């Protein structure tokens, strides 16, 4: 009887576990877990999705939203499979790495009665991201492009002229000693140093920006390290996010930054009477892309796929652009019309992005760079097995980022400490000798 009761108890426990798992799976199918950069989406776009999703599918869903600030942190969580995120937003080089490692699921574009808005993505952006494709895995089958932009120089017009920022040379100009903020980004820093080091070759057309930035040979890494160390006396700080605020407050003259941050800073600075500008130097620069993807361990692929379709609707793309300052990959006539600014005196050729008819568009050239600017830029690919070597170089560059007077001060402090320790030991030795002499004298008495 006791044996029967024991068996019955085990059976009840197992049934309870299975029932619990069933409830968990059922609840998880009503949850969409999103992992994104901070301040990189309009909150109302997130809030409105569950209602839209129910209208399309008749199903309930709620969003669990988390943020990251470094691509590699996000990648580590996905690689280890400890997090069951349904959607992530990696940058282009991480997309390439994840495709290579087979960490993404293909997007299911069978949306039933719902229109497929993913085709609203600019063919130009699709073509660029498809350069990252791996054998048997085409990028745009796994990724929906989200935002994109350039890397360039944000500058205070009261202290720096436009001519000066039209060349990367200004980053090495002694006139800007301790007046420059640089993004704490080893990839952007590497690309910039390599481009400037080969400015002459770029000018005469013997090499391209794309070839340079994606050359991670030992020779190129050494050149990048040499030039970055020469730049350091001008660097007031390596920043991840505070640069735009420092520029807005007039505390720095130059900031190597991304176009979306530049837009935000220029708007904020204008409100307080500070005039900032942004340019992509003539030698060329990095052009970057972020995209949405569904990780291998996602547990709500259906809601994730619908969310990708949802953010490609023009009205949602506009809301996200307004909130972030960055430029959506969506290229519909509605967006072009909404972005037109008749107060601008000059037009830009953005037909590469929007198609024919956009050769003379009056849109913000920081957000939508002219064709000539785009043509002198390129995407930095994943460094692959050279990543660690480049990171070691970057650590050496930043590791000795101390002004000479600080180094002198450190040595002086250690010198004083050494003298003090020696003095204390000599003093202690002398005290012991005096003590022994006294004891010896008393014994003789």
């Amino acid at each position: 009887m006791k044996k029967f009761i024991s068996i019955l108890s085990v059976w009840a426990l197992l049934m309870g576990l299975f029932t619990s798992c069933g409830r968990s799976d059922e609840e998880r199918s009503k949850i969409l877990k999103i992992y994104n950069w901070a301040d990189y989406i309009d909150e109302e776009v997130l809030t409105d999705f569950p209602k839209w999703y129910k209208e399309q599918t008749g199903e309930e869903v709620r969003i669990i939203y988390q943020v990251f600030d470094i691509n590699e942190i996000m990648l580590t969580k996905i690689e280890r499979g400890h997090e069951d995120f349904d959607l992530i937003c990696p940058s282009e080089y991480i997309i390439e790495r994840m495709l290579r490692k087979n960490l993404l699921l293909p997007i299911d574009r069978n949306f039933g009665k719902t229109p497929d808005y993913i085709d609203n993505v600019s063919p130009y952006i699709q073509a660029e991201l498809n350069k990252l494709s791996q054998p048997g895995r085409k990028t745009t089958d796994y990724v929906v492009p989200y935002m994109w932009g350039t890397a360039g120089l944000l500058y205070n017009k009261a202290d720096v002229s436009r001519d000066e920022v039209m060349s990367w040379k200004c980053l090495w100009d002694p006139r800007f000693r301790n007046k420059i903020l640089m993004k704490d980004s080893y990839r952007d820093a590497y690309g910039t140093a390599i481009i400037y080091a080969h400015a002459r070759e770029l000018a005469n057309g013997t090499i391209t920006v794309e070839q340079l930035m994606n050359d991670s040979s030992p020779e190129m890494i050494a050149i990048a390290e040499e030039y970055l160390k020469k730049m350091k006396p001008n660097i007031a700080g390596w920043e991840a996010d505070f640069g735009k605020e420092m520029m807005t407050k007039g505390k720095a003259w130059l900031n190597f930054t991304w176009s979306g941050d530049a837009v935000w800073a220029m708007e904020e600075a204008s409100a307080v009477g500070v005039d900032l500008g942004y340019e992509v130097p003539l030698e060329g620069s990095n052009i970057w892309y972020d995209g949405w993807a569904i990780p291998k361990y996602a547990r709500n692929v259906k809601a994730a796929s619908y969310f990708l379709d949802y953010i490609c609707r023009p009205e949602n793309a506009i809301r996200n652009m307004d909130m972030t300052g960055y430029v959506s990959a969506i290229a519909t006539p509605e967006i072009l019309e909404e972005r037109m600014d008749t107060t601008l005196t000059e037009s830009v050729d953005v037909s590469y992005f929007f198609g024919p008819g956009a050769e003379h568009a009056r849109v913000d050239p920081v957000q939508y760079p002219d064709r000539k600017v785009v043509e002198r830029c390129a995407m930095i690919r994943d460094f692959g097995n050279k990543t660690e070597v480049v990171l070691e170089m970057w650590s050496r560059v930043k590791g000795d980022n101390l002004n000479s007077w600080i180094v002198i001060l450190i040595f002086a402090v250690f010198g004083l400490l050494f003298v003090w320790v020696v003095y204390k030991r000599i003093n202690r030795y002398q005290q012991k000798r005096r003590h022994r002499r006294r004891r010896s004298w008393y014994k003789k008495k």
Side-chain angles (χ1 to χ4, degrees):
M1 184 66 178
K2 287 182 180 178
K3 186 176 181 181
F4 174 75
I5 292 173
S6 298
I7 293 172
L8 192 62
S9 299
V10 172
W11 174 254
L13 177 62
L14 289 173
M15 288 299 292
L17 287 172
F18 283 125
T19 304
S20 174
C21 290
R23 285 198 303 269
S24 176
D25 289 339
E26 183 181 1
E27 291 172 2
R28 185 62 178 83
S29 68
K30 295 180 180 180
I31 294 172
L32 177 64
K33 294 182 68 174
I34 300 176
Y35 200 29
N36 189 19
W37 299 89
D39 303 320
Y40 210 36
I41 196 169
D42 186 280
E43 289 185 5
E44 291 186 359
V45 170
L46 293 174
T47 302
D48 293 345
F49 175 70
K51 180 182 177 182
W52 181 86
Y53 183 69
K54 187 172 184 179
E55 289 172 353
Q56 308 307 312
T57 65
E59 299 173 13
E60 301 278 353
V61 72
R62 68 181 180 90
I63 292 176
I64 293 178
Y65 189 80
Q66 295 183 46
V67 299
F68 61 88
D69 56 5
I70 299 175
N71 267 299
E72 284 74 12
I73 290 177
M74 175 275 297
L75 177 62
T76 299
K77 288 189 176 184
I78 302 304
E79 280 186 308
R80 293 177 179 175
H82 294 166
E83 297 281 356
D84 59 341
F85 292 112
D86 302 307
L87 281 170
I88 53 174
C89 189
S91 299
E92 72 292 308
Y93 73 103
I94 295 295
I95 290 172
E96 184 174 14
R97 200 177 301 177
M98 296 183 89
L99 285 171
R100 189 184 303 120
K101 295 183 176 183
N102 196 23
L103 293 172
L104 302 178
L105 296 177
I107 300 164
D108 181 4
R109 294 176 64 171
N110 180 20
F111 300 121
K113 66 176 184 178
T114 307
D116 187 340
Y117 297 104
I118 295 176
D119 285 331
N120 288 335
V121 173
S122 170
Y124 161 75
I125 303 292
Q126 293 184 46
E128 286 297 299
L129 282 182
N130 277 331
K131 292 179 181 179
L132 309 174
S133 299
Q134 301 298 307
R137 290 190 282 275
K138 185 179 179 182
T139 306
T140 48
D141 289 339
Y142 293 79
V143 176
V144 171
Y146 182 48
M147 299 285 182
W148 67 287
T150 57
L153 292 172
L154 181 68
Y155 65 103
N156 192 319
K157 294 182 180 180
D159 305 300
V160 187
S161 70
R162 183 175 183 271
D163 287 343
E164 287 176 302
V165 296
M166 290 309 294
S167 172
W168 290 118
K169 181 181 178 180
C170 64
L171 296 180
W172 284 265
D173 189 336
R175 186 170 93 80
F176 302 119
R177 187 180 182 90
N178 208 37
K179 297 294 184 182
I180 299 174
L181 296 172
M182 282 288 290
K183 278 292 180 195
D184 190 0
S185 167
Y186 72 97
R187 291 165 50 79
D188 290 295
Y190 181 89
T192 301
I194 291 299
I195 287 172
Y196 177 62
H198 296 83
R200 185 173 298 176
E201 293 89 331
L202 286 166
N204 61 32
T206 57
I207 200 166
T208 67
V209 168
E210 185 170 17
Q211 289 171 331
L212 281 173
M213 291 196 302
N214 292 297
D215 184 345
S216 52
S217 63
E219 295 77 14
M220 283 296 187
I221 294 173
I223 290 171
E225 182 171 356
E226 176 190 352
Y227 274 77
L228 288 171
K229 285 183 175 180
K230 287 179 179 178
M231 182 204 297
K232 284 174 56 181
N234 291 353
I235 306 303
W238 306 94
E239 58 94 6
D241 195 47
F242 65 79
K244 51 182 182 278
E245 184 178 351
M246 294 282 284
M247 291 294 293
T248 298
K249 293 179 178 179
K251 293 185 178 180
W253 291 2
L254 280 166
N255 182 199
F256 176 95
T257 191
W258 302 310
S259 51
D261 282 359
V263 170
W264 184 94
M266 291 165 72
E267 290 176 354
E268 293 294 312
S270 178
V272 295
V274 177
D275 193 8
L276 302 180
Y278 174 84
E279 296 292 345
V280 176
L282 292 172
E283 295 95 343
S285 185
N286 172 29
I287 192 163
W288 55 266
Y289 309 91
D290 291 338
W292 290 101
I294 302 174
K296 185 176 181 178
Y297 302 105
R299 294 177 60 191
N300 196 344
V301 176
K302 180 179 179 179
S305 298
Y306 268 85
F307 185 86
L308 296 179
D309 193 43
Y310 169 75
I311 61 169
C312 290
R313 299 178 70 191
E315 60 269 33
N316 291 331
I318 290 170
R319 287 199 287 176
N320 288 331
M321 281 194 286
D322 288 341
M323 184 271 164
T324 65
Y326 286 97
V327 179
S328 171
I330 304 304
T332 62
E334 300 97 312
I335 291 181
L336 177 59
E337 182 180 356
E338 199 275 339
R339 288 298 168 195
M340 294 287 277
D341 185 351
T342 56
T343 65
L344 296 173
T345 57
E346 296 183 8
S347 62
V348 291
D349 181 359
V350 288
S351 57
Y352 66 91
F353 184 82
F354 286 105
E359 290 83 359
H360 304 284
R362 292 190 180 184
V363 294
D364 184 350
V366 177
Q367 289 192 312
Y368 292 100
D370 186 84
R371 178 184 290 275
K372 291 180 180 178
V373 175
V374 169
E375 288 174 350
R376 65 176 184 257
C377 294
M379 174 173 53
I380 303 179
R381 302 284 296 272
D382 180 28
F383 287 124
N385 58 11
K386 298 291 184 65
T387 300
E388 289 302 318
V389 182
V390 177
L391 282 171
E392 287 172 6
M393 177 276 292
W394 181 237
S395 295
R396 290 193 297 272
V397 168
K398 292 181 63 183
D400 60 359
N401 191 30
L402 295 172
N403 292 327
S404 57
W405 68 268
I406 297 179
V407 175
I408 293 170
L409 178 62
I410 290 173
F411 276 108
V413 170
F414 275 105
L416 289 171
L417 284 172
F418 175 77
V419 171
W420 182 80
V421 169
V422 171
Y423 167 76
K424 293 295 288 184
R425 287 187 175 180
I426 292 173
N427 190 47
R428 192 179 302 117
Y429 173 73
Q430 290 175 340
Q431 286 178 344
K432 286 181 179 178
R433 285 189 63 184
R434 286 195 294 268
H435 182 68
R436 283 198 297 269
R437 285 174 182 173
R438 289 194 194 99
R439 291 181 62 187
S440 176
W441 185 78
Y442 281 119
K443 285 181 180 179
K444 287 179 181 178
K445 290 187 70 176

